[in-house]
Short mmCIF file of all heavy atoms in Angstrom, two decimals:
data_model
loop_
_atom_site.label_atom_id
_atom_site.label_comp_id
_atom_site.label_asym_id
_atom_site.label_seq_id
_atom_site.Cartn_x
_atom_site.Cartn_y
_atom_site.Cartn_z
N TYR M 127 -4.20 8.23 46.04
CA TYR M 127 -4.82 7.18 46.87
C TYR M 127 -5.33 6.03 45.99
O TYR M 127 -6.27 5.33 46.39
CB TYR M 127 -6.04 7.71 47.73
CG TYR M 127 -6.05 7.14 49.12
CD1 TYR M 127 -6.08 7.97 50.19
CD2 TYR M 127 -6.04 5.73 49.35
CE1 TYR M 127 -6.16 7.45 51.50
CE2 TYR M 127 -6.07 5.29 50.59
CZ TYR M 127 -6.11 6.11 51.67
OH TYR M 127 -6.13 5.63 52.99
N GLY M 128 -4.69 5.74 44.93
CA GLY M 128 -5.18 4.62 44.09
C GLY M 128 -4.63 3.30 44.52
O GLY M 128 -4.09 2.55 43.64
N TYR M 129 -4.72 3.00 45.75
CA TYR M 129 -4.14 1.72 46.29
C TYR M 129 -4.89 1.29 47.55
O TYR M 129 -5.66 2.05 48.06
CB TYR M 129 -2.62 1.91 46.65
CG TYR M 129 -2.38 3.23 47.43
CD1 TYR M 129 -2.63 3.30 48.75
CD2 TYR M 129 -1.91 4.38 46.78
CE1 TYR M 129 -2.39 4.48 49.52
CE2 TYR M 129 -1.67 5.59 47.44
CZ TYR M 129 -1.95 5.61 48.83
OH TYR M 129 -1.72 6.75 49.48
N THR M 130 -4.63 0.08 47.97
CA THR M 130 -5.09 -0.30 49.39
C THR M 130 -3.78 -0.24 50.21
O THR M 130 -2.71 -0.43 49.72
CB THR M 130 -5.57 -1.77 49.41
OG1 THR M 130 -4.46 -2.63 49.26
CG2 THR M 130 -6.56 -2.01 48.36
N SER M 131 -3.96 0.16 51.46
CA SER M 131 -2.77 0.38 52.31
C SER M 131 -2.31 -0.91 52.98
O SER M 131 -1.99 -0.95 54.17
CB SER M 131 -3.03 1.40 53.38
OG SER M 131 -3.46 2.59 52.76
N ALA M 132 -2.30 -2.05 52.20
CA ALA M 132 -1.84 -3.29 52.72
C ALA M 132 -0.36 -3.28 52.87
O ALA M 132 0.39 -2.91 52.04
CB ALA M 132 -2.26 -4.43 51.78
N HIS M 133 0.14 -3.71 54.08
CA HIS M 133 1.62 -3.88 54.24
C HIS M 133 2.07 -5.13 53.60
O HIS M 133 1.27 -6.06 53.39
CB HIS M 133 1.93 -4.00 55.73
CG HIS M 133 1.59 -2.85 56.52
ND1 HIS M 133 2.25 -1.66 56.41
CD2 HIS M 133 0.66 -2.63 57.52
CE1 HIS M 133 1.75 -0.74 57.25
NE2 HIS M 133 0.78 -1.33 57.92
N THR M 134 3.30 -5.20 53.26
CA THR M 134 3.86 -6.46 52.74
C THR M 134 4.00 -7.45 53.85
O THR M 134 4.62 -7.15 54.95
CB THR M 134 5.24 -6.21 52.10
OG1 THR M 134 5.05 -5.22 51.07
CG2 THR M 134 5.75 -7.52 51.43
N GLY M 135 3.48 -8.66 53.72
CA GLY M 135 3.52 -9.67 54.80
C GLY M 135 2.32 -9.43 55.76
O GLY M 135 1.65 -8.38 55.72
N GLY M 136 2.07 -10.40 56.57
CA GLY M 136 1.05 -10.26 57.59
C GLY M 136 -0.34 -10.02 57.11
O GLY M 136 -1.12 -9.47 57.75
N VAL M 137 -0.65 -10.52 55.89
CA VAL M 137 -2.02 -10.45 55.38
C VAL M 137 -2.66 -11.77 55.50
O VAL M 137 -2.05 -12.82 55.58
CB VAL M 137 -2.04 -9.90 53.92
CG1 VAL M 137 -1.45 -8.49 53.83
CG2 VAL M 137 -1.25 -10.83 53.03
N PRO M 138 -4.01 -11.80 55.50
CA PRO M 138 -4.75 -13.10 55.67
C PRO M 138 -4.61 -13.93 54.41
O PRO M 138 -4.22 -13.47 53.33
CB PRO M 138 -6.17 -12.70 55.93
CG PRO M 138 -6.30 -11.36 55.33
CD PRO M 138 -4.96 -10.73 55.45
N ASP M 139 -4.93 -15.25 54.56
CA ASP M 139 -4.93 -16.13 53.40
C ASP M 139 -5.91 -15.61 52.28
O ASP M 139 -6.94 -15.05 52.59
CB ASP M 139 -5.49 -17.53 53.91
CG ASP M 139 -5.43 -18.59 52.79
OD1 ASP M 139 -4.37 -19.19 52.62
OD2 ASP M 139 -6.38 -18.69 52.03
N GLY M 140 -5.50 -15.84 51.09
CA GLY M 140 -6.21 -15.35 49.92
C GLY M 140 -7.69 -15.78 49.95
O GLY M 140 -8.61 -15.04 49.37
N ASN M 141 -7.99 -16.93 50.48
CA ASN M 141 -9.36 -17.38 50.50
C ASN M 141 -10.10 -17.00 51.77
O ASN M 141 -11.26 -17.42 51.94
CB ASN M 141 -9.39 -18.90 50.30
CG ASN M 141 -9.60 -19.29 48.82
OD1 ASN M 141 -9.96 -18.39 48.06
ND2 ASN M 141 -9.45 -20.50 48.49
N ALA M 142 -9.51 -16.28 52.64
CA ALA M 142 -10.16 -15.94 53.98
C ALA M 142 -11.24 -14.93 53.73
O ALA M 142 -12.22 -14.91 54.47
CB ALA M 142 -9.09 -15.35 54.93
N ILE M 143 -11.16 -14.15 52.70
CA ILE M 143 -12.17 -13.17 52.35
C ILE M 143 -12.79 -13.53 51.02
O ILE M 143 -12.25 -13.10 49.98
CB ILE M 143 -11.69 -11.73 52.33
CG1 ILE M 143 -10.82 -11.42 53.60
CG2 ILE M 143 -12.84 -10.72 52.17
CD1 ILE M 143 -10.01 -10.15 53.51
N PRO M 144 -13.87 -14.32 50.99
CA PRO M 144 -14.44 -14.65 49.72
C PRO M 144 -14.95 -13.35 48.98
O PRO M 144 -15.37 -12.44 49.64
CB PRO M 144 -15.60 -15.62 50.00
CG PRO M 144 -15.43 -15.89 51.47
CD PRO M 144 -14.63 -14.81 52.14
N VAL M 145 -14.86 -13.36 47.68
CA VAL M 145 -15.36 -12.23 46.89
C VAL M 145 -16.35 -12.83 45.86
O VAL M 145 -15.99 -13.84 45.14
CB VAL M 145 -14.23 -11.54 46.08
CG1 VAL M 145 -14.78 -10.33 45.32
CG2 VAL M 145 -13.11 -11.13 47.06
N SER M 146 -17.53 -12.32 45.78
CA SER M 146 -18.48 -12.85 44.88
C SER M 146 -17.90 -12.75 43.46
O SER M 146 -17.28 -11.76 43.11
CB SER M 146 -19.84 -12.21 44.96
OG SER M 146 -20.05 -11.30 43.94
N LYS M 147 -18.23 -13.79 42.64
CA LYS M 147 -17.69 -13.81 41.31
C LYS M 147 -18.15 -12.54 40.52
O LYS M 147 -17.39 -11.99 39.78
CB LYS M 147 -18.10 -15.10 40.62
CG LYS M 147 -17.54 -15.19 39.16
CD LYS M 147 -17.62 -16.65 38.70
CE LYS M 147 -17.43 -16.76 37.19
NZ LYS M 147 -16.44 -15.89 36.60
N THR M 148 -19.36 -12.20 40.71
CA THR M 148 -19.91 -11.05 40.05
C THR M 148 -19.12 -9.77 40.32
O THR M 148 -18.73 -8.98 39.39
CB THR M 148 -21.36 -10.79 40.51
OG1 THR M 148 -22.01 -12.00 40.56
CG2 THR M 148 -22.08 -9.87 39.52
N TYR M 149 -18.75 -9.54 41.61
CA TYR M 149 -17.96 -8.37 41.97
C TYR M 149 -16.52 -8.52 41.47
O TYR M 149 -15.95 -7.57 41.02
CB TYR M 149 -18.04 -8.22 43.44
CG TYR M 149 -19.29 -7.43 43.84
CD1 TYR M 149 -20.52 -8.13 44.02
CD2 TYR M 149 -19.35 -6.06 44.04
CE1 TYR M 149 -21.73 -7.44 44.36
CE2 TYR M 149 -20.47 -5.37 44.34
CZ TYR M 149 -21.67 -6.09 44.54
OH TYR M 149 -22.83 -5.42 44.85
N ALA M 150 -15.97 -9.71 41.61
CA ALA M 150 -14.62 -9.94 41.17
C ALA M 150 -14.54 -9.58 39.70
O ALA M 150 -13.58 -8.95 39.20
CB ALA M 150 -14.13 -11.33 41.43
N ASP M 151 -15.50 -10.12 38.90
CA ASP M 151 -15.45 -9.81 37.46
C ASP M 151 -15.66 -8.37 37.14
O ASP M 151 -15.01 -7.81 36.28
CB ASP M 151 -16.59 -10.63 36.78
CG ASP M 151 -16.27 -12.12 36.70
OD1 ASP M 151 -15.13 -12.43 37.00
OD2 ASP M 151 -17.12 -12.94 36.32
N ALA M 152 -16.53 -7.71 37.88
CA ALA M 152 -16.76 -6.25 37.67
C ALA M 152 -15.48 -5.50 38.06
O ALA M 152 -15.08 -4.53 37.35
CB ALA M 152 -17.96 -5.76 38.42
N ALA M 153 -14.84 -5.89 39.14
CA ALA M 153 -13.63 -5.20 39.56
C ALA M 153 -12.52 -5.38 38.42
O ALA M 153 -11.84 -4.45 38.07
CB ALA M 153 -13.07 -5.80 40.85
N MET M 154 -12.54 -6.57 37.85
CA MET M 154 -11.53 -6.86 36.75
C MET M 154 -11.85 -5.99 35.52
O MET M 154 -10.99 -5.47 34.94
CB MET M 154 -11.61 -8.33 36.44
CG MET M 154 -10.61 -8.76 35.37
SD MET M 154 -8.93 -8.56 35.76
CE MET M 154 -8.34 -7.99 34.17
N ASP M 155 -13.16 -5.83 35.24
CA ASP M 155 -13.56 -5.00 34.09
C ASP M 155 -12.91 -3.58 34.29
O ASP M 155 -12.44 -2.98 33.37
CB ASP M 155 -15.04 -4.83 34.03
CG ASP M 155 -15.75 -6.06 33.53
OD1 ASP M 155 -15.05 -6.96 32.95
OD2 ASP M 155 -16.97 -6.22 33.70
N ALA M 156 -13.02 -3.11 35.53
CA ALA M 156 -12.50 -1.69 35.82
C ALA M 156 -10.97 -1.72 35.84
O ALA M 156 -10.36 -0.82 35.30
CB ALA M 156 -13.05 -1.23 37.13
N ALA M 157 -10.40 -2.80 36.41
CA ALA M 157 -8.95 -2.87 36.57
C ALA M 157 -8.20 -2.98 35.19
O ALA M 157 -7.01 -2.81 35.17
CB ALA M 157 -8.60 -4.03 37.49
N ALA M 158 -8.99 -3.27 34.14
CA ALA M 158 -8.31 -3.54 32.85
C ALA M 158 -7.78 -2.24 32.23
O ALA M 158 -7.03 -2.30 31.24
CB ALA M 158 -9.35 -4.12 31.88
N CYS M 159 -8.04 -1.10 32.87
CA CYS M 159 -7.47 0.22 32.35
C CYS M 159 -5.96 0.16 32.24
O CYS M 159 -5.32 -0.28 33.21
CB CYS M 159 -7.96 1.36 33.33
SG CYS M 159 -7.00 2.84 33.09
N ILE M 160 -5.43 0.56 31.08
CA ILE M 160 -4.03 0.52 30.92
C ILE M 160 -3.35 1.90 31.09
O ILE M 160 -2.14 2.04 30.81
CB ILE M 160 -3.62 0.02 29.49
CG1 ILE M 160 -4.29 0.79 28.41
CG2 ILE M 160 -3.99 -1.46 29.38
CD1 ILE M 160 -3.85 0.39 26.98
N GLY M 161 -4.09 2.88 31.49
CA GLY M 161 -3.53 4.18 31.81
C GLY M 161 -3.03 4.90 30.60
O GLY M 161 -1.99 5.66 30.73
N CYS M 162 -3.60 4.72 29.44
CA CYS M 162 -3.08 5.32 28.22
C CYS M 162 -3.40 6.80 28.08
O CYS M 162 -2.73 7.62 27.46
CB CYS M 162 -3.51 4.59 27.02
SG CYS M 162 -5.33 4.57 26.74
N GLY M 163 -4.52 7.19 28.65
CA GLY M 163 -5.00 8.57 28.56
C GLY M 163 -5.77 8.91 27.29
O GLY M 163 -6.11 10.08 27.05
N ALA M 164 -6.15 7.90 26.54
CA ALA M 164 -6.99 8.21 25.35
C ALA M 164 -8.27 8.82 25.70
O ALA M 164 -8.89 9.65 25.03
CB ALA M 164 -7.25 6.88 24.56
N CYS M 165 -8.83 8.45 26.93
CA CYS M 165 -10.14 9.04 27.40
C CYS M 165 -9.98 10.53 27.49
O CYS M 165 -10.90 11.29 27.15
CB CYS M 165 -10.52 8.41 28.69
SG CYS M 165 -9.13 8.25 29.91
N VAL M 166 -8.84 11.01 28.02
CA VAL M 166 -8.61 12.46 28.20
C VAL M 166 -8.53 13.08 26.73
O VAL M 166 -9.16 14.11 26.53
CB VAL M 166 -7.29 12.69 28.94
CG1 VAL M 166 -6.99 14.17 29.03
CG2 VAL M 166 -7.30 12.00 30.26
N ALA M 167 -7.78 12.44 25.87
CA ALA M 167 -7.60 13.01 24.53
C ALA M 167 -8.91 13.11 23.76
O ALA M 167 -9.10 13.96 22.93
CB ALA M 167 -6.58 12.12 23.75
N ALA M 168 -9.83 12.16 24.08
CA ALA M 168 -11.10 12.20 23.35
C ALA M 168 -12.11 13.12 23.88
O ALA M 168 -13.03 13.55 23.18
CB ALA M 168 -11.69 10.75 23.31
N CYS M 169 -11.98 13.55 25.12
CA CYS M 169 -13.01 14.28 25.80
C CYS M 169 -12.91 15.74 25.46
O CYS M 169 -11.87 16.43 25.52
CB CYS M 169 -12.79 14.12 27.35
SG CYS M 169 -13.91 15.10 28.31
N PRO M 170 -14.08 16.39 25.16
CA PRO M 170 -14.12 17.81 24.84
C PRO M 170 -13.67 18.63 26.09
O PRO M 170 -13.20 19.76 25.96
CB PRO M 170 -15.53 18.07 24.52
CG PRO M 170 -16.27 16.78 24.36
CD PRO M 170 -15.38 15.76 24.95
N ASN M 171 -13.80 18.07 27.31
CA ASN M 171 -13.41 18.81 28.53
C ASN M 171 -12.03 18.36 28.94
O ASN M 171 -11.59 18.75 30.06
CB ASN M 171 -14.39 18.52 29.65
CG ASN M 171 -15.86 18.79 29.26
OD1 ASN M 171 -16.11 19.69 28.48
ND2 ASN M 171 -16.75 18.06 29.77
N ALA M 172 -11.41 17.52 28.25
CA ALA M 172 -10.10 16.89 28.65
C ALA M 172 -10.21 16.41 30.04
O ALA M 172 -9.40 16.65 30.95
CB ALA M 172 -8.96 17.96 28.52
N SER M 173 -11.26 15.64 30.29
CA SER M 173 -11.45 15.07 31.61
C SER M 173 -10.81 13.71 31.76
O SER M 173 -10.80 12.93 30.79
CB SER M 173 -12.94 14.94 31.87
OG SER M 173 -13.13 14.16 33.07
N ALA M 174 -10.20 13.39 32.92
CA ALA M 174 -9.62 12.09 33.16
C ALA M 174 -10.54 11.29 34.08
O ALA M 174 -10.11 10.39 34.84
CB ALA M 174 -8.23 12.23 33.74
N MET M 175 -11.84 11.55 34.00
CA MET M 175 -12.81 10.89 34.86
C MET M 175 -12.82 9.36 34.64
O MET M 175 -12.98 8.61 35.56
CB MET M 175 -14.19 11.46 34.63
CG MET M 175 -14.47 12.75 35.29
SD MET M 175 -14.54 12.54 37.08
CE MET M 175 -14.86 14.26 37.59
N LEU M 176 -12.78 8.96 33.40
CA LEU M 176 -12.88 7.50 33.08
C LEU M 176 -11.76 6.79 33.79
O LEU M 176 -11.87 5.73 34.42
CB LEU M 176 -12.98 7.21 31.63
CG LEU M 176 -13.45 5.82 31.27
CD1 LEU M 176 -14.82 5.55 31.75
CD2 LEU M 176 -13.37 5.58 29.74
#
Side-chain angles (χ1 to χ4, degrees):
Chain M
Y127 220 126
Y129 45 78
T130 69
S131 303
H133 296 292
T134 303
V137 296
D139 184 88
N141 264 349
I143 309 166
V145 183
S146 105
K147 181 162 166 38
T148 320
Y149 278 82
D151 285 351
M154 181 63 219
D155 288 342
C159 164
I160 58 173
C162 62
C165 44
V166 179
C169 176
N171 307 327
S173 169
M175 282 288 183
L176 194 62

